Every structure is written in structure tokens, then in C-alpha cells.
Amino acid sequence: MPKKEVPTTTRQSIINAQPRIHQRAPEIQPYGTVSHALPLELEEPVRLEMTEQLNLLLADTMTLRDLYKKSHWQVAGPTFYQLHLLFDKHYEEQVEVVDEIAERIQLLGGVSLAMAADVAETTRIERPPRGREEVPVQISRLLDAHQIIIGHCRRLSRRASELGDDGTNDMVVSDVLRPNELQVWFLSEHLVDVPLVHAEEPGVRKAG
Ligand SMILES: [Fe+2]
């Protein structure tokens, strides 16, 4: 059969190099819901509870990630160089943790938080000032944030186990809890008040 020729004018109306910008449409899935049927052998109420909890963990982790970048940029003092590098290393590790949590939420059929304004409304981590703070305060804020996340990880991993969501339990323990524990060690050693050059004579050291 001979191929039917499309008139030039019709083709021009179909094929058009003009990008279709400024488009909007209703959401395809509202926040706070999960897809009904997924072949995961996990009931919808379990996935709802897990995705809600994981979004809290995500908001706190995104806040901690950003607190590390703030600290990386704004650090001052004689330990500037090592802390500048350490804060950025921890930032990069938290970027990976954020991705793990967000993709676990999507995998369970949920909708992950993403934007800063939504994160700010959700996180339980205290908001720092915009200005610069001294190193002990920077590190204390980071440790407080880690503590919130670590506490949540312990409760969430146990609950996931109870509900039969072994994947969430494994991810929370291996990919969130353990990296956070390690970062706490690296930070908290900076708050041990030891002499830099001269060892103190016995009896000279002040109490407290
Ligand atoms: Fe940098």
C-alpha cells in the first residue's frame, strides 16, 4: 500500500521545535499517601506508618546536611583548615544518607519531602542563627542534631522490625544509624579539652 503523504501544513502543526514552557497540572500523588497495590508483601498501613516516620527522619537529615555546609563555610579559628575539610566530608556523607531515605520512601509507594520550606516546617532540629558562631557552638549544634537523628533511628528500626518491614530496619541501621554514630565520634573528640602543646602539671588542672 502506498504511504499516505501528510500535507506539509499538518506536519508543521504536529512537529514543533517550540518548548512548551510554563506548564502546570494537578499532582499525580498527594503527599502523605502511598500507592495502594505494590508487590512488596507489605500492607498499606505499614507502608503509611513507615513513610511518615521516614519523612521525619529525612527532614532532620536534610537539616543536618545543611548545618554541615553552614559550618564548613562559616568556621573560624586555629582549627579552620581541618574542620573546614571534616565538615565537608560529613556533608557529602549526609547527602548520600538523604538519598537513601528519600528513595526508600518512594520505593514503599510514598512521597518524599524535597523542598527546603517543607523541610523547615517538619524538622525537629533547632534553627541556628544566620550569622557565624564559634567552633564549640557549631560542633555542639551538630551533635545535638545527630542525637535527635540517632534516637529516632533506634525507635524506628525497632518499629520497622515489629511490623515486618525488614528493608526499612536494615536501611535505618546500616545506612543512617551507623554513619551518624561514626560522625558523632569524630565531632565529639573535638570537644575534649586537652592541652595543645604543654602537658599540664598534676594539680594544675582545674576541676570541671
Ligand atoms: Fe567548599
Side-chain angles (χ1 to χ4, degrees):
M1 210 165 90
K3 216 171 161 190
K4 209 173 160 189
E5 274 296 314
V6 180
T8 314
T9 47
T10 315
R11 247 181 48 217
Q12 275 168 348
S13 66
I14 296 168
I15 304 167
N16 192 330
Q18 172 61 47
R20 298 177 183 205
I21 58 176
H22 305 311
Q23 298 194 63
R24 300 286 186 279
E27 294 174 338
I28 60 170
Q29 183 184 353
Y31 180 78
T33 64
V34 290
S35 308
H36 296 299
L38 288 176
L40 293 173
E41 296 292 314
L42 278 175
E43 296 298 328
E44 195 175 324
V46 171
R47 293 186 291 111
L48 262 177
E49 182 176 334
M50 288 295 101
T51 51
E52 186 187 344
Q53 289 300 312
L54 286 168
N55 263 317
L56 289 175
L57 190 63
L58 179 62
D60 290 338
T61 303
M62 290 168 96
T63 305
L64 174 60
R65 174 201 63 190
D66 295 346
L67 196 54
Y68 267 116
K69 207 51 147 177
K70 173 177 165 64
S71 306
H72 165 74
W73 290 326
Q74 298 182 353
V75 64
T79 54
F80 170 84
Y81 187 62
Q82 69 154 52
L83 285 177
H84 182 67
L85 298 184
L86 180 71
F87 290 154
D88 215 27
K89 180 176 182 286
H90 284 194
Y91 167 86
E92 294 293 346
E93 290 165 1
Q94 290 295 333
V95 166
E96 285 179 30
V97 177
V98 164
D99 203 44
E100 289 287 339
I101 301 169
E103 292 183 0
R104 179 83 203 160
I105 293 165
Q106 296 295 141
L107 174 161
L108 290 170
V111 179
S112 58
L113 281 177
M115 300 309 292
D118 299 319
V119 171
E121 283 175 1
T122 310
T123 186
R124 293 153 301 178
I125 293 169
E126 182 189 340
R127 181 179 176 172
R130 290 191 183 188
R132 300 172 76 187
E133 293 183 295
E134 59 192 72
V135 164
V137 178
Q138 285 186 310
I139 295 178
S140 294
R141 283 192 188 281
L142 289 163
L143 284 170
D144 289 345
H146 277 295
Q147 189 172 6
I148 288 168
I149 289 169
I150 284 172
H152 191 194
C153 280
R154 297 196 193 285
R155 292 188 300 277
L156 176 53
S157 59
R158 276 195 290 271
R159 182 68 180 146
S161 210
E162 273 170 25
L163 295 174
D165 187 353
D166 302 316
T168 295
N169 168 280
D170 179 51
M171 187 216 65
V172 168
V173 172
S174 305
D175 302 331
V176 189
L177 176 63
R178 287 217 179 95
N180 273 275
E181 286 177 331
L182 192 64
Q183 291 187 352
V184 163
W185 178 39
F186 272 75
L187 286 184
S188 55
E189 288 298 334
H190 287 84
L191 294 185
V192 179
D193 194 7
V194 290
L196 271 178
V197 178
H198 292 285
E200 286 177 17
E201 302 279 333
V204 173
R205 197 171 295 235
K206 280 180 250 154

